[in-house]
Structures are given as structure tokens and as C-alpha cells.
Amino acid sequence: EWIERWQTKNKLYYYHQKFRRVPDLSQCLDGDYLCYYEAEAQWRRDRMVDQEIVEIVRERMAACKQREGPNQFQNCAKEMELLAQVTKAYQDRYGELGYHGNARTCLMKQKHRMMEERKAAQEKES
């Protein structure tokens, strides 16, 4: 009884640490090294979140395959499609960066991809 009263008075709350969103690396001013550092840390957190999203979808896919057995191709089509979309999005953003990838190389990769898409669209129009 005493323990229950003590626990109701002294509740422990566990929350995830919430970070405020910081400007992207493209929004930092020249020579603003604190902004560079914060953008890099934000990029690393975003990458870890995206890795976990891919892993969760992969686990759901594996659970569906295990549950459905031989009928997995027809009953797990939605999970297969979701896994394909998530892995493609992850690969588009972080693929070929390697372990030592950073926010600057990721930004340059996205810039080059956008330039290639724009060039392909212009060639398609002409």
C-alpha cells in the first residue's frame, strides 16, 4: 500500500528526446560553422530515422511472408509495394554515399539528380 502511494506521487515519465528542426545546409550562411554543425547533426538524425523506417517495413514484410507461407505473393502484395517504395526513396537520397557520407555530399547528390531530371525533361520536350 505504501509503495503504491509512493509510486502515484513520484511517477516517472519516459519521453523521446525532441530536437528542434534546424535550417537545412542550403539555408546556412557562408562561414556560419554553428549552422553547418547543426545541419549535419540534423541530417544524421534524419538518416537514422529513415534507416529505422526501412527496417520496420522490412520486418513487416518478413512477418507477412512468415504468416502467409505459400500465399505470400498475393497476400503480401501491399507490403511488397511499400517496401519497394521505401527502399527506392532511401536509395535515392542516401545511396552511394557510403558510411562517411555527410549532409554536404547528400545535398550535392540531390542537386545533381535534379539537374539530370531537368535535362531529361528538356530533351523529352524537344
Side-chain angles (χ1 to χ4, degrees):
E1 191 177 302
W2 176 84
I3 292 175
E4 290 174 359
R5 280 187 282 134
W6 184 80
Q7 286 178 343
T8 56
K9 277 198 288 187
N10 301 322
K11 287 189 177 183
L12 294 175
Y13 297 101
Y14 295 100
Y15 296 109
H16 294 287
Q17 185 175 0
K18 293 185 180 180
F19 295 97
R20 65 178 178 82
R21 295 295 294 184
V22 296
D24 192 63
L25 191 64
S26 62
Q27 298 169 344
C28 292
L29 300 174
D30 285 340
D32 189 1
Y33 297 108
L34 183 61
C35 184
Y36 293 162
Y37 177 79
E38 287 180 339
E40 184 70 31
Q42 180 72 51
W43 181 83
R44 289 190 191 281
R45 286 192 298 270
D46 289 343
R47 185 176 183 180
M48 286 193 317
V49 168
D50 290 343
Q51 285 173 345
E52 285 300 316
I53 290 171
V54 170
E55 189 60 33
I56 288 169
V57 172
R58 188 174 290 133
E59 287 172 1
R60 286 182 185 169
M61 177 67 189
C64 183
K65 283 184 174 183
Q66 179 72 26
R67 182 179 61 244
E68 296 300 330
N71 298 329
Q72 66 184 348
F73 296 109
Q74 64 187 22
N75 295 343
C76 297
K78 185 173 71 170
E79 285 84 359
M80 286 182 184
E81 180 66 28
L82 182 62
L83 181 63
Q85 290 174 356
V86 168
T87 53
K88 183 181 181 327
Y90 183 85
Q91 198 64 24
D92 285 347
R93 185 164 184 188
Y94 302 110
E96 300 173 2
L97 291 180
Y99 180 76
H100 298 290
N102 58 20
R104 185 174 301 272
T105 55
C106 184
L107 184 65
M108 291 299 115
K109 179 182 178 200
Q110 290 175 358
K111 182 188 81 162
H112 292 306
R113 189 185 69 219
M114 288 174 56
M115 289 172 57
E116 288 173 4
E117 289 173 358
R118 185 179 295 163
K119 189 177 189 180
Q122 287 176 350
E123 289 176 359
K124 193 175 185 180
E125 288 177 1
S126 348

